[in-house]
Amino acid sequence: MPPINTIHLFPILHEHLLTLLHSLTAADWQLETICKGWTVKDITAHITDVQLRNISMYRDHYTPPGVPVIDTNQALVNYVNQLNNNWITAARRLSPAILIEWLEQSLPQVHQLMKALPPFENAIFAVSWAGEERSANWFHIAREYTEIWHHQQQIRLAVGQTAPLMTPELYYPLLDTFMRALPYTYRHTTAPPGTLIEFTVTGPGGGSWYLQQHAGSWQLLADTPAAIVSTAVGIDGEIAWRLFTKGITRSAAQPYITINGNEALGRPVLEMVAVVA
């Protein structure tokens, strides 16, 4: 699969975020979101935390004390959840205005820091949800793009303003990045060599991706194959981003998903997670 270029989209995404935050009322900031236990303000604080930590790491080369040994995916999830919860608890003392001010200062800095990374050199952190032990910087940057996109969309969903991010320019790169998790998601699914599965996300920004069994492993194909599709999975575009970020239960997502062909080959995508969770 070719690399995904997202770095030029960061300023657009950032502008959408800041415009949205400036428009929120006092009541909007306290609205509950699909991120359980987090309000609009909590998610904004989380986005701010990530930007400040990126600046500390990439600009200042700072490593915080007390980082545990992370040798399993569960250890990573536990550590990330601890970081997030500690920050959110502390940030509840801060005003929305301070969070916006910090974002206005930090977002352009993070964009420049990411832009300076050699795209094909190894990133500091691998994209664990894609099953990688080492990832290129371009993939790490794309992962960071999906983080800001889906957290902003969680806020937008709470206040009823999702449309600005549901465009081909901004939504397709998120989906294309998420779909890199398909081979890892299907690693325990067996099928005869050559078996081909098609995944289609409908609506603006959607598209089709193809996964094929080859020599005992699943491969995501760069081009539309000539082979016959064994199973075709359709996912409503309004639901896809939520499905892959644990923003909707599998049962609630079922009415928005179709599986034609071998249902057993289509169902593993319902378990795909493209965030550290």
Side-chain angles (χ1 to χ4, degrees), residues 28-248:
D28 289 337
W29 284 97
Q30 300 308 318
L31 289 173
E32 294 293 327
T33 69
I34 58 172
C35 190
K36 188 176 179 180
W38 283 13
T39 64
V40 165
K41 181 170 174 286
D42 292 333
I43 291 182
T44 305
H46 172 64
I47 297 173
T48 307
D49 176 38
V50 173
Q51 308 319 304
L52 296 177
R53 283 194 278 124
N54 276 331
I55 293 171
S56 296
M57 178 172 56
Y58 285 105
R59 188 193 69 183
D60 305 331
H61 309 291
Y62 177 73
T63 301
V67 178
V69 174
I70 299 175
D71 51 6
T72 66
N73 186 65
Q74 189 57 52
L76 175 62
V77 170
N78 292 343
Y79 178 60
V80 169
N81 286 341
Q82 178 186 352
L83 285 179
N84 292 341
N85 291 331
N86 289 348
W87 173 265
I88 292 303
T89 299
R92 285 173 179 158
R93 308 169 191 170
L94 305 177
S95 68
I98 286 179
L99 297 178
I100 292 175
E101 183 178 344
W102 283 354
L103 283 171
E104 288 174 334
Q105 295 172 356
S106 63
L107 287 170
Q109 291 187 61
V110 172
H111 174 237
Q112 292 303 316
L113 289 167
M114 294 286 175
K115 192 175 180 180
L117 295 175
F120 297 101
E121 290 188 8
N122 287 337
I124 292 178
F125 300 116
V127 182
S128 60
W129 48 254
E132 295 195 348
E133 295 182 359
R134 278 195 300 249
S135 298
N137 277 321
W138 69 259
F139 197 11
H140 168 64
I141 292 168
R143 184 251 312 274
E144 290 295 310
Y145 174 83
T146 68
E147 285 289 313
I148 297 178
W149 191 103
H150 93 266
H151 283 310
Q152 180 179 164
Q153 195 71 333
Q154 288 170 340
I155 295 172
R156 289 184 171 278
L157 186 64
V159 300
Q161 299 183 40
T162 59
L165 302 193
M166 300 297 290
T167 65
E169 179 186 29
L170 298 177
Y171 193 29
Y172 181 82
L174 172 116
L175 293 172
D176 199 24
T177 303
F178 280 176
M179 292 301 179
R180 304 303 169 102
L182 281 171
Y184 184 63
T185 301
Y186 273 76
R187 66 193 183 281
H188 299 309
T189 302
T190 58
T195 297
L196 183 66
I197 310 173
E198 178 185 47
F199 303 89
T200 299
V201 177
T202 63
S208 293
W209 291 263
Y210 297 88
L211 192 67
Q212 189 167 44
Q213 173 60 224
H214 178 73
S217 65
W218 291 95
Q219 297 181 357
L220 197 59
L221 305 183
D223 301 309
T224 303
I228 297 175
V229 172
S230 302
T231 300
V233 180
I235 306 173
D236 188 300
E238 295 289 335
I239 294 299
W241 72 270
R242 293 176 59 184
L243 179 64
F244 301 140
T245 60
K246 301 185 73 172
I248 189 171

